[in-house]
Structures are given as structure tokens and as C-alpha cells.
Amino acid sequence: MKPIVLKMQAFGPYLKETSIDFSAFFDSGLFLITGDTGAGKTTIFDAISYALYGEASGDKREKSMLRSDYADAENESYVYLRFEFRNKVYEVLRKPAWQRPKKRGEGTTSEPEHLYFNELGAPAKEYRNTENPLEQLLGINARQFKQTAMLAQGEFQKLLLATSQDRELIFRRILNLSHINSFAKALEDEASKAKLSLDEIKTNIVFVVSNLVVDDGVDAVFSSEEAREALQKPLIFGDRLVELISASLDKQKKALAQKDKLIVELQEALQTSKQNFIRAKNINEHIRALAGAKHEKERLAIEHARAFEAYREAQRVYDEEFEACTRRLAKLEEKRSLFASYEKAFEQERAHERHCETLRRAFEQHQNEALALEQELKHVEEAREALEEDFAHVSEDMAHFERLQHSLQTRKDIKQKAERYFSEQEKLEKEEASYLHYQRLYEEGKAEYSAAEKRFFDEQAGILARSLVEGKPCVVCGSTHHPNPAQISDSTLSKEALEKLKNNVEKRQDTWQKKALELRGLRSNLSVYLEEFTELSKPLYQTQDLKETYAENEKAQEMLAREASELSEKISRAKRSQQAHEAYAIQIKEIVLKHKDAQAAIELKKSALYEAEAEGIRMQEQLRLLQERLGDGADKQELEKAYLELRNKKDELVDRLKVTQENLELEKEKLKKLEASVLAHKSALDALEHDEKAGLIEQESYEKKLRAYELELAKDTKHREDLSVSYTTNVQVYEKLKKLYPTYRQLKHDFEMKLNLSQTAQGKMTGKVRLSFERYVMGFYFEQMLFEANKRLTKMTDGRFELTKAQSGQTLNTQTGLDLAVLDHYTGKARPVSSLSGGESFMAALSLALGMSDYIMSSQGGIHIDALFIDEGFGSLDSEALDQALSILADLSNKQRLVGIISHVGELREMISEQIICKDVGHGSSIFISV
């Protein structure tokens, strides 16, 4: 990854859009980022890291701290980065979450983080917060990027001091070794699958053997100790168990054949006994049935004669009474018809009366409605005329209300600006006191350091004066005469103590300067707020004193608010009057239409009422004529009662005759069936006549023999069924085991082989050092990286130090292979890298990062790290080490890599001409490019 263009807005100290064109440094490759303290040098690295991974370059800065403190709510923050990777150019735009003003109404709303990414020339695609296509593209995550491509403050030693487990995670991603871990995982999965298959077939074998039926009563195959052990341990004695089951099946098969022969003999004997018993039983039943049928036949003949006499009497009575009922029913039917016509006409006349009454009520109702509508129309007209006067001045009131609202909003803005000015003024007063405090601390420290520095140099002069000899020239001034040589003071001050005082003064100076910058920003803000207040208040108020204007504005705002409230209520009342006026107009139209409809309905009902009254007179005449035909004293209820009695009597006669006929037919049918039964029993007895006595004597003995044969056959059949089930079950067990045992042996061999391979690949072999295949491959790559790193470390340390893999004592339960140590050629011993000094650690970490980058770039399938960013660390190097480090970085940049350095070291500003200069311009920072 090589950056081409970086743009920032409202990000860190950069308020306005700030752009950096890194292509200006492509020719030299090496550039320096320098400038004022707090002006945003590290922010450039933060912007690159944030664009790629959504987080700052160092762990001490949270994502929420990246938005500029100078930005107002309207200023949107974003970072844009165009970069080259694998000969392709990409663009990424990331906007941090922020509180933006609402598009409608007052206040702010939360805007989430946005990420847009695309190849140059292609349309940009937006990604969610959980997605980061940059990590997939570059092949490393944010932590690994910081440890290999961006050595930020406090971060550059982490790769050097990382544990063996942490380096494993880093190498797995940046070396693209996931396939090796996947291979080991695949072996483990295969071993697990093989174990599951083996366990499954083991369970299956045990389950199949548990279904084996062992009957010691049939054979003694499983009675021996050897056979019982084979049953208990079927996985060990599989072949022997199959042989035993085969032998048992042969004996069970012979027992089944013997039992089948015995059952056939019993079935033949049972069949003969059953035939004899059935013959004797039939004879006895026919004899008893014939006697009963003869007696029943005589009884039925008597019953049939009685039923025939009853039928003849019922027929005679039916003929006489049925004819009399028929004649009376005809007369009653004629009278019922006249009653029906009369009732129908009477009901029609009553209904017509009700209809006429309804028409009269409707006619009166419509007349009343018409009168009521006329009164309502009069009242509505009067109310509308009363409302017209209330709405006459509403337009003038609304115009005046809008002017009041505008004036009131202006005074609210003036109040807001004044309160903001008062708040910033109070903050400024506090910061001025803080600034004076830190200025005093700096001046005190500076005075202390100056006095100490003078004492130190006086001490050095005294030491030098001790070697002066009269007549010999001074090594400083060349004089041969030394009238007043310097004296050594009583108190001694070491160079380290003087340097400590100097560092303390520099820290106090940095703090004081930061306070000065903050104070300058606050004063600038206060000036802007005062200008905004004056611009708003000048057209309205004569006085320019801010507090007097604020108080006067408060009174005016309160007065305007009251007037606006009163006018608003007046306008609301007028608008309600207007709405009522419009409603009355609509109501008048509706009343007029209803009055017309009511007049039309009155005319229709009047005409219908005349016609209905004429029809009523005609119906009354029809009723009079029907009454004359019925005669005086006609009673419908008595007529209906007599008619129903005759109808019931006629139906009763028909039913009685029908029942008598049915009884006679039943008796005939019974007699016919009984005669047929008598003939049948006679025929059967004639056929069996010579066996009658034998049947009566031997039926009981035949039945006893039959029951004995049935019991014996059921017992032997049950025993045969049990034998058959056992035999069938054992045959199935035998067939399954013959298939399962070869498969079991094959699966067991397969599992043992795969388990051995998996444990070897994961470094889990019992009794062996725990070195996985992945760790072994990483160790090989690690040695290559250390070889590349030592090319630079030995040069920077004049051959003293060399990075090497730690040869610590290996235990059988700990993964090893990626531990790091440093070989000190001065002592000839290896020691932990944590024992290096600050400058030595920086050179070792830089060498390791560069070595890793070189190796990854040269290896096939590795990632491309075309840029290296270093934030501080050079201050810990002496002049010679600094020259060597820059020589190595210059050589690295000549190999088409971009190397950027942040530093305050003065020598670097003189040694590197290509620079990015960060300047504090008040209320934000700016960037200048020097090539």
C-alpha cells in the first residue's frame, strides 16, 4: 500500500479541507514531517490509519477524539485517501460519527459513521460499520498494520516485545499461512469424523449382539465360559462370536424341523376328533328342534284363526263409519273455505287502515319539518350576519403578528450570541490564570536550569584550569599568562542531572506554549462572538455596551412576547369565526335543499292519502257481503274443532284396518316359515336316522378328546413360534455381524492413522515436543525475516547486536518456535530483547519491521508493504546511530518505497530536505510541502 493523496476536514487540528500530495515524494522516497508542537503531525498518520481501518494510529487516541475541536455543528468531518496497491489505484472515504444540525426544526441528530470504497474509476460502494473491505484487500488488520507499516508513538516496540502467541497471530495473516492451519484443522476434522464413524459402528455392533437370543434349553453352544466372554466382549472376540452364532443356528434349525413334524401329527388327530364331535352335535340339535317346531306350529294355527276373525270385524266397521265421515267432511270443508276468504279480506282491510294512518302521520311530519326548516334558516342567517363583523380586521392582525415574530426571533438571536460571549469570556478568564501559572513555572525552571548550567560550565572551567602551567599556552584562548584561573566549586553537578533539568524545562515550555495556543484560540473565538453580537444588535439599540444591551434586549423580548401572545389569541378567535361563518353558509344551502324536498314530499303524501281512503271504502263493502253468506252465529273456532275431529276419526279408521291387515300377514308368514323348518328337520333326521342313538351317547366323549387335542396343539404351536422368532432374530444378527466386523476393522485402522497425522500436525504427539506443523513453517519464515533484519541491525550497531530465535528450555506441554532474543557479540551471550535500552530497542524494532517487510515483499503470495511510517523514536539515538539509521532508510526508499518520519530532532530537518511542515495558524492548523 502506497498513499498518493490524503485529504482531511474537521479532523484533529485541521478545520478546513487540507490536502497532502504524497506523489511529490515518490522520486526521493524519504520525507520528514515536522512543525509546531500540537499542530497535527501525528494526525497525518491517524488519518491514514482511520481511512484504512477506522481507528487512530496509536492506542492512546480513541475514535471519538479524532473530530476537530474547532469544528462547529455544521462542519462535517471526513478523511479521503487515494492509494496504490498491487499496481491498482483505490479510493476510500470515511466519515466519523458526529452530531449534525437537524434538517427540520432545532437541535441536533446523530449521524453514524460512513465508509465508501472503490477502485479508481468505478462507482463508490457504501459499507456498514461491521464491514471493512480494506482489511480483506490488504491482508492485515489494524494492529498488524501498525506493527509492520506504521511505527507509531509507543507502538514501534510491540512487535519486538510480542509474545510467541501474538507473533503467531501476526504471521498467520501477513504470511498468508491460513492454508496450513486449514490443513491441520482438516486433519483434525477427518480424525473426528473417523472417530464418530468408529464409535457409531462400535455402538451398532454392541446393539446387534444385545439382540441375540440365547436359549440354553435348545442347545449348549453358549454355556461355556469362552462363549459367555465372547458375548460380553463382542469387539474383541468378533470372529469367534460369529462362529458360535452359526453353530447355534444349526441346532435351532433342527429343533424347528422336529417341532413342525409333531404339530402336523397333532393337527391331523384334532381334525378327526372335530369331525366326530360336529356329527354327534348336529344329530342332537335336529331332534330337539323338530319337537319344538311341531309344538309351535299348532300354537300359530290357533293365533292365525283369531287374527282372521278380527280382520273381518274391522273391515265391516270401517266400511260403515268411513262413508258417514266423508259426507260430513265435505260440508265442513265448504264452510272453512268461506271463513278463509272472510279472514283474508278482513286482514287486508285492517292493513289498509294502518297504511292510511301511516300516510296521515307522514303528511303531518313533512308539514312540521318544513315549518322547522324555515325557522332554522332564519336563525342561521342571523348568526352568519353577526360573525361578519368579527372577521373584518384579521388580515391586518396577521401581518402585524408576522412582524412581531420576526422581531422576537431577532432578539432571541441577540440573547443567544450574548450568552455565548459571556460563557467564552468566563472560560478565557480561567485560561488566562492557567496560562500565567504555567508561564511562572516555566520561568522558574528556566532560571533554575540557567543557574545550574552556569555552575556546570564553571566546574568544567575549574577542572580545565587545574592543568594550566604558567608560560604554557591555554588550550582555549592560547594565552601563556594565567593571572586568575577558575576555581572548582564545592558543589558538583553531573551532566545527567543537568540534562534532567533541561528536559524538565522543555516539558514546561511545551505545556506553556500549548496553553498559549489555547488562549489565542479562545481570544479569537471571543472576538468573533462579539462581532456577531454587534452586527445583530446595532440596528436595534443605541448603546454599544454589551451588558446594557443584553438587559434592554431582555425587556424588549419579554414585551414583544406578551404582545405576540395576545395578538395570536385574537387571530385564533378571528379564524374560528371565519370557520363558523363558512360552516353557516354550507348549513344554509343544506336547509334550503331540505325545505324543497319536504314540500315535494308533502304533495306526494297528500295524493297517496286520497287514493288510500277510496280503496278502504271498497274493502268494507266486500267484507259485508261475505258476512251475509256465512250467516249469523258463525264461529270459526267451533268449525275448525269439528273438522279436525272428523279428520282424526277417519285417519284412525284407516290405521286400525291397516294394523289388523299387518297382523294377519305376520301370522301367515310365521306359519309358513315354521312349516318349512319342520320339513327341513324331518329330512335331516331321515338322513341321519341310523346314527341317532350313537349321537346322543358319544357327544360328550367326542368333546373331551377335542378339547385335549386343542390344548396340546396350542402349546406346541406357541413353542414353535418362540423357536422361529429366536431363529429369525439370530439369523439377522449373524448376517449383520458378518458385514459389520470387516467394516469395523477398516474404520479402526483408518481412525488410528488419521489421529496420528492430526496429532503430528498440531504438535500433540504424546512424549514429543509440542511444535505444530504451522509453528514449524512459521519458524522457518521467522528465521528468514531475522536474517533480513540483522542486515540492518548489525550495520546500525557496528556489529554488536543480532536478533535470533530464543533457545529456551522446551517443555512437552507448551507450543514453541517463535520466541525472540538478542545476541550481544560483546559478551557472546543471548539475552531477552526487553533488556535493550531505548535507542537499542528502537533500532532493533526498526530492523525487524524492515526485515519483515523485505521478506514479505520478496515471497510469493505475500502482501505489498510499499510504505513505512515512523513516528518519533530517533531522539533516543546518538549522532552516529542516527546517521546509520537514515542511511538504511534512504537505501530502503530508493527501492520504490515511501518512508515518512515524524520527529522533532533538529539534525533530521537539516538531513532530509523533502518535508511536510505543520503550522498552527490560529483556530486550526495548515500544511505546507517543502521539496
Side-chain angles (χ1 to χ4, degrees):
M1 192 286 296
K2 181 186 288 187
I4 301 174
V5 175
L6 174 68
K7 295 180 181 180
M8 303 169 285
Q9 177 175 295
F11 190 84
Y14 301 103
L15 174 59
K16 298 179 180 179
E17 184 180 85
T18 304
S19 178
I20 302 175
D21 185 1
F22 289 101
S23 63
F25 309 121
F26 283 179
D27 292 338
S28 61
L30 182 65
F31 63 95
L32 177 69
I33 302 176
T34 185
D36 300 333
T37 301
K41 298 184 292 297
T42 304
T43 304
I44 296 174
F45 288 3
D46 287 341
I48 294 174
S49 177
Y50 178 73
L52 296 175
Y53 295 103
E55 57 183 76
S57 61
D59 291 339
K60 295 181 180 180
R61 292 180 296 281
E62 299 291 335
K63 186 187 297 187
S64 59
M65 299 166 60
L66 297 178
R67 177 167 167 79
S68 177
D69 293 334
Y70 298 109
D72 292 333
E74 292 81 3
N75 295 116
E76 182 181 25
S77 299
Y78 65 82
V79 174
Y80 166 84
L81 177 65
R82 184 187 307 158
F83 63 93
E84 181 183 353
F85 183 73
R86 294 185 186 273
N87 298 322
K88 292 184 179 180
V89 178
Y90 298 91
E91 293 178 305
V92 58
L93 174 65
R94 196 185 293 266
K95 301 177 180 180
W98 64 303
Q99 294 290 327
R100 65 167 178 80
K102 291 183 178 180
K103 295 180 179 178
R104 295 182 179 177
E106 298 181 354
T108 60
T109 184
S110 297
E111 185 72 25
E113 185 178 71
H114 292 276
L115 171 62
Y116 303 90
F117 173 67
N118 60 283
E119 186 177 350
L120 188 64
K125 180 182 177 182
E126 184 173 4
Y127 293 84
R128 296 181 179 176
N129 293 339
T130 56
E131 301 176 300
N132 189 4
L134 280 305
E135 183 173 330
Q136 298 176 2
L137 175 71
L138 300 178
I140 54 178
N141 59 28
R143 182 166 174 265
Q144 296 157 353
F145 178 75
K146 296 173 190 177
Q147 292 175 327
T148 56
M150 183 172 284
L151 305 182
Q153 286 182 349
E155 300 283 340
F156 66 92
Q157 287 183 328
K158 286 189 177 180
L159 179 61
L160 180 72
L161 302 177
T163 63
S164 185
Q165 288 76 15
D166 288 339
R167 288 196 189 92
E168 179 180 4
L169 296 176
I170 295 170
F171 290 162
R172 185 175 294 153
R173 289 290 301 273
I174 66 178
L175 295 176
N176 197 19
L177 297 180
S178 58
H179 60 287
I180 294 178
N181 190 44
S182 299
F183 171 69
K185 185 66 173 63
L187 288 177
E188 184 181 7
D189 292 342
E190 287 296 321
S192 299
K193 291 178 182 176
K195 187 177 186 305
L196 288 175
S197 300
L198 182 61
D199 292 343
E200 183 180 356
I201 201 168
K202 283 181 179 179
T203 304
N204 202 358
I205 288 174
V206 172
F207 174 74
V208 171
V209 172
S210 68
N211 292 328
L212 185 68
V213 181
V214 178
D215 188 358
D216 293 338
V218 176
D219 61 78
V221 172
F222 291 101
S223 61
S224 67
E225 188 67 27
E226 175 200 9
R228 295 196 177 278
E229 186 177 12
L231 283 173
Q232 294 173 0
K233 301 176 181 179
L235 297 175
I236 300 175
F237 303 102
D239 294 336
R240 178 58 182 153
L241 184 60
V242 171
E243 294 175 0
L244 291 171
I245 294 173
S246 179
S248 176
L249 287 174
D250 290 340
K251 292 194 175 184
Q252 288 180 354
K253 191 173 183 180
K254 291 178 182 179
L256 276 173
Q258 292 176 356
K259 186 62 68 176
D260 287 340
K261 181 178 179 182
L262 179 61
I263 288 173
V264 169
E265 293 174 354
L266 283 172
Q267 286 176 339
E268 291 175 353
L270 178 64
Q271 186 64 29
T272 301
S273 179
K274 186 180 291 186
Q275 290 174 355
N276 292 333
F277 171 74
I278 291 172
R279 185 176 183 83
K281 184 179 180 182
N282 287 340
I283 291 172
N284 291 335
E285 287 178 353
H286 282 301
I287 291 173
R288 286 191 292 270
L290 181 60
K294 288 178 179 179
H295 176 73
E296 182 69 12
K297 180 181 177 183
E298 293 173 358
R299 187 185 68 77
L300 285 176
I302 295 170
E303 290 292 331
H304 179 265
R306 291 175 181 172
F308 183 73
E309 286 298 326
Y311 171 74
R312 289 180 62 185
E313 179 62 21
Q315 181 69 42
R316 185 184 64 77
V317 172
Y318 171 78
D319 291 342
E320 292 175 357
E321 293 184 1
F322 188 79
E323 183 178 356
C325 285
T326 302
R327 288 195 299 270
R328 288 189 63 193
L329 278 174
K331 293 180 180 180
L332 290 175
E333 186 67 34
E334 181 181 0
K335 211 163 190 179
R336 284 177 76 247
S337 177
L338 283 175
F339 257 114
S341 299
Y342 175 79
E343 286 180 338
K344 182 178 180 181
F346 182 77
E347 186 60 35
Q348 287 176 349
E349 194 272 337
R350 293 291 301 276
H352 188 73
E353 278 286 334
R354 289 192 296 272
H355 177 62
C356 290
E357 184 62 27
T358 301
L359 288 175
R360 278 191 289 271
R361 285 198 299 271
F363 176 76
E364 293 173 358
Q365 181 181 356
H366 286 303
Q367 282 184 324
N368 294 333
E369 286 178 357
L371 292 174
L373 287 171
E374 289 175 359
Q375 292 295 324
E376 185 180 359
L377 180 61
K378 181 179 179 182
H379 293 320
V380 171
E381 286 283 0
E382 291 174 353
R384 186 180 66 168
E385 291 174 358
L387 289 174
E388 287 180 352
E389 186 177 353
D390 293 341
F391 193 69
H393 305 290
V394 69
S395 298
E396 296 176 4
D397 291 340
M398 289 179 67
H400 183 47
F401 179 74
E402 289 179 0
R403 290 193 296 272
L404 282 176
Q405 287 288 89
H406 180 268
S407 181
L408 187 60
Q409 183 59 46
T410 302
R411 283 159 176 77
K412 286 182 179 179
D413 294 341
I414 291 171
K415 178 181 179 182
Q416 183 181 8
K417 297 296 182 182
E419 290 176 347
R420 191 171 185 181
Y421 176 85
F422 294 149
S423 175
E424 289 297 320
Q425 190 178 40
E426 183 179 356
K427 189 185 299 183
L428 177 62
E429 291 171 356
K430 292 180 180 179
E431 290 298 326
E432 284 176 343
S434 177
Y435 167 77
L436 294 174
H437 170 71
Y438 285 109
Q439 183 183 26
R440 186 174 62 257
L441 289 178
Y442 165 66
E443 290 173 350
E444 291 173 355
K446 184 178 180 182
E448 182 182 1
Y449 171 70
S450 298
E453 185 179 39
K454 185 177 183 305
R455 290 199 308 273
F456 177 77
F457 286 124
D458 288 345
E459 182 72 19
Q460 299 300 312
I463 295 172
L464 183 62
R466 291 171 59 183
S467 62
L468 293 176
V469 178
E470 190 67 28
K472 291 185 178 183
C474 175
V475 295
V476 178
C477 63
S479 175
T480 58
H481 181 56
H482 316 292
N484 188 20
Q487 302 296 318
I488 298 177
S489 63
D490 295 335
S491 62
T492 60
L493 182 66
S494 65
K495 185 177 180 180
E496 289 76 9
L498 183 65
E499 188 66 27
K500 185 176 181 181
L501 286 174
K502 180 181 179 181
N503 292 336
N504 186 38
V505 171
E506 289 178 350
K507 289 180 180 178
R508 291 185 178 185
Q509 184 182 17
D510 287 343
T511 305
W512 174 51
Q513 289 176 348
K514 287 181 180 178
K515 287 294 178 181
L517 290 174
E518 292 174 1
L519 197 60
R520 189 193 311 169
L522 288 173
R523 286 172 177 164
S524 177
N525 289 343
L526 198 63
S527 177
V528 172
Y529 298 152
L530 181 59
E531 183 180 349
E532 291 175 350
F533 173 81
T534 303
E535 184 179 352
L536 279 174
S537 63
K538 188 174 181 180
L540 297 175
Y541 302 104
Q542 297 297 325
T543 178
Q544 294 302 312
D545 182 76
L546 192 143
K547 291 186 177 179
E548 291 182 6
T549 303
Y550 179 78
E552 187 176 348
N553 185 72
E554 282 285 281
K555 295 178 180 178
Q557 183 178 343
E558 184 179 354
M559 182 184 67
L560 287 172
R562 286 198 302 271
E563 185 178 357
S565 176
E566 294 171 357
L567 191 57
S568 176
E569 178 61 28
K570 183 178 179 183
I571 292 172
S572 298
R573 289 197 303 270
K575 286 184 177 180
R576 288 195 295 270
S577 298
Q578 182 188 23
Q579 293 172 356
H581 183 276
E582 294 172 352
Y584 282 144
I586 295 171
Q587 190 176 359
I588 288 171
K589 292 180 180 179
E590 292 176 353
I591 292 172
V592 171
L593 291 175
K594 288 180 181 178
H595 186 267
K596 289 181 179 179
D597 293 341
Q599 291 293 340
I602 289 171
E603 294 299 323
L604 288 174
K605 294 298 180 183
K606 187 176 181 181
S607 175
L609 183 59
Y610 290 156
E611 293 177 359
E613 288 176 347
E615 179 66 18
I617 295 172
R618 185 188 64 77
M619 287 183 173
Q620 288 176 356
E621 179 63 22
Q622 184 180 2
L623 277 175
R624 188 185 63 78
L625 293 175
L626 286 172
Q627 185 70 41
E628 290 177 355
R629 292 181 63 188
L630 282 172
D632 296 335
D635 189 348
K636 180 183 178 182
Q637 191 171 8
E638 292 293 333
L639 179 66
E640 287 293 331
K641 182 178 179 181
Y643 178 78
L644 288 175
E645 287 177 355
L646 280 175
R647 290 287 301 178
N648 291 336
K649 186 175 181 180
K650 184 177 179 181
D651 292 340
E652 183 182 349
L653 288 172
V654 174
D655 292 340
R656 210 165 17 172
L657 181 64
K658 185 177 179 182
V659 169
T660 305
Q661 287 175 333
E662 290 174 352
N663 290 337
L664 183 63
E665 292 298 325
L666 285 174
E667 294 299 328
K668 287 181 180 178
E669 187 66 26
K670 288 180 182 179
L671 187 61
K672 189 185 294 183
K673 289 181 179 180
L674 192 59
E675 288 176 348
S677 177
V678 170
L679 292 175
H681 286 301
K682 281 184 176 180
S683 299
L685 287 174
D686 291 341
L688 301 171
E689 186 176 357
H690 60 283
D691 290 329
E692 287 183 8
K693 291 183 179 180
L696 290 171
I697 296 172
E698 297 179 359
Q699 180 179 351
E700 185 175 354
S701 62
Y702 287 151
E703 187 174 5
K704 290 181 180 179
K705 287 182 181 180
L706 179 62
R707 297 291 174 260
Y709 280 130
E710 286 177 345
L711 290 173
E712 188 174 359
L713 180 61
K715 180 179 178 182
D716 287 340
T717 302
K718 178 66 171 60
H719 191 196
R720 197 270 176 200
E721 289 175 355
D722 293 341
L723 284 175
S724 178
V725 170
S726 300
Y727 177 76
T728 303
T729 301
N730 289 351
V731 167
Q732 294 174 352
V733 171
Y734 176 73
E735 294 297 332
K736 289 179 180 178
L737 290 179
K738 282 202 304 182
K739 296 178 181 178
L740 286 173
Y741 276 120
T743 306
Y744 165 70
R745 286 189 289 272
Q746 179 61 39
L747 289 176
K748 184 179 179 183
H749 176 268
D750 185 47
F751 167 67
E752 291 172 349
M753 178 187 67
K754 290 179 178 178
L755 179 63
N756 185 51
L757 287 173
S758 175
Q759 290 179 340
T760 301
Q762 296 181 68
K764 295 181 180 179
M765 290 293 291
T766 305
K768 304 290 184 180
V769 175
R770 293 176 63 83
L771 181 62
S772 66
F773 180 48
E774 184 184 28
R775 277 285 183 107
Y776 174 79
V777 175
M778 287 182 180
F780 170 77
Y781 288 138
F782 192 31
E783 289 179 350
Q784 303 300 313
M785 293 177 190
L786 293 180
F787 176 77
E788 296 295 332
N790 286 327
K791 291 180 181 179
R792 298 181 174 89
L793 182 60
T794 53
K795 182 178 178 181
M796 281 192 282
T797 61
D798 290 330
R800 178 179 179 182
F801 293 121
E802 179 182 347
L803 295 173
T804 181
K805 287 171 64 177
Q807 301 297 324
S808 57
Q810 295 179 343
T811 61
L812 298 183
N813 60 352
T814 304
Q815 288 280 5
T816 61
L818 298 179
D819 295 317
L820 184 62
V822 60
L823 177 61
D824 190 343
H825 287 288
Y826 285 6
T827 63
K829 296 180 180 180
R831 53 191 172 94
V833 292
S834 59
S835 65
L836 294 172
S837 67
E840 292 167 348
S841 294
F842 174 76
M843 290 188 289
L846 179 61
S847 300
L848 183 59
L850 297 179
M852 183 183 295
S853 299
D854 284 349
Y855 180 75
I856 293 170
M857 289 289 289
S858 62
S859 61
Q860 292 183 352
I863 66 172
H864 286 268
I865 304 176
D866 298 326
L868 181 67
F869 306 96
I870 305 170
D871 191 354
E872 293 299 349
F874 290 93
S876 60
L877 304 180
D878 55 29
S879 299
E880 185 177 355
L882 182 61
D883 289 338
Q884 292 170 341
L886 284 182
S887 175
I888 290 172
L889 292 175
D891 179 63
L892 181 68
S893 63
N894 287 333
K895 296 179 180 179
Q896 302 302 314
R897 284 202 213 174
L898 196 62
V899 179
I901 301 172
I902 287 181
S903 181
H904 289 93
V905 178
E907 290 89 335
L908 287 176
R909 290 197 293 270
E910 297 175 1
M911 299 170 70
I912 303 175
S913 59
E914 283 73 15
Q915 298 179 3
I916 296 176
I917 303 170
C918 303
K919 287 287 186 181
D920 183 356
V921 295
H923 205 68
S925 297
S926 293
I927 284 178
F928 304 93
I929 305 296
S930 176
V931 181

